[in-house]
Amino acid sequence: MSKNFHERYDRPELPLPPDRSTGLVFTAITLIVAYVWRNDQTVMTVALALAGILGVVSLVVPIAIRPLNIVWMQFALLLSKVMNPIVMMVLFLIAIVPAGLLMQLVRDPLRRRRPTGDTYWISHEKLENSSMKNQF
């Protein structure tokens, strides 16, 4: 990228989370799946076996979880690129738009409404009584 900009517009490479913590998170997720589907014997057995394997591997040889960690991080980056604009749009529609519409109904900061007099000039009578008249 060009060196003419003050800011950097390229994103630095994000570091991966530790392999052991990723393995333990996936172990916890598979344990939750086993608990939720405890009435289905097949799903519970597979989830408990996977939780055991992931737990042992993440505690003993955490480097073996590295490919899963990389895929999970790529999925998280893709999800952030999709969800961030959606969340910002919802916040804009819920907070900014109603506040702007309410302000337009109550106030006229740009003085777009036609004045009652013959001219568009703003009266400066209020400024003469201002405490800012003789500043120096």
Side-chain angles (χ1 to χ4, degrees):
M1 183 165 246
S2 177
K3 302 287 184 191
N4 296 334
F5 296 115
H6 177 69
E7 292 100 6
R8 290 183 49 126
Y9 291 108
D10 55 339
R11 291 186 174 181
E13 187 71 26
L14 293 175
L16 287 173
D19 296 330
R20 179 170 287 147
S21 67
T22 302
L24 293 176
V25 166
F26 276 103
T27 302
I29 290 171
T30 53
L31 286 174
I32 291 170
V33 167
Y35 179 75
V36 169
W37 280 286
R38 64 185 174 274
N39 295 329
D40 189 356
Q41 193 66 28
T42 307
V43 174
M44 186 182 76
T45 305
V46 169
L48 284 176
L50 192 58
I53 292 169
L54 281 172
V56 169
V57 168
S58 64
L59 290 175
V60 176
V61 189
I63 195 73
I65 306 278
R66 173 66 54 113
L68 180 65
N69 196 2
I70 292 171
V71 170
W72 185 250
M73 188 65 171
Q74 294 299 321
F75 176 70
L77 291 174
L78 175 69
L79 191 63
S80 73
K81 285 185 180 184
V82 172
M83 288 304 294
N84 284 349
I86 293 172
V87 169
M88 292 305 289
M89 181 186 69
V90 168
L91 286 174
F92 180 79
L93 292 175
I94 289 175
I96 305 297
V97 171
L101 291 175
L102 183 65
M103 190 176 91
Q104 282 185 358
L105 290 175
V106 176
R107 298 181 56 213
D108 188 21
L110 297 178
R111 295 183 179 98
R112 291 186 298 166
R113 295 184 189 122
R114 185 164 180 89
T116 55
D118 295 333
T119 181
Y120 284 102
W121 284 95
I122 300 170
S123 175
H124 292 286
E125 296 167 356
K126 297 176 187 174
L127 294 178
E128 293 175 5
N129 298 332
S130 170
S131 65
M132 305 264 302
K133 185 176 180 184
N134 295 320
Q135 293 183 32
F136 304 104

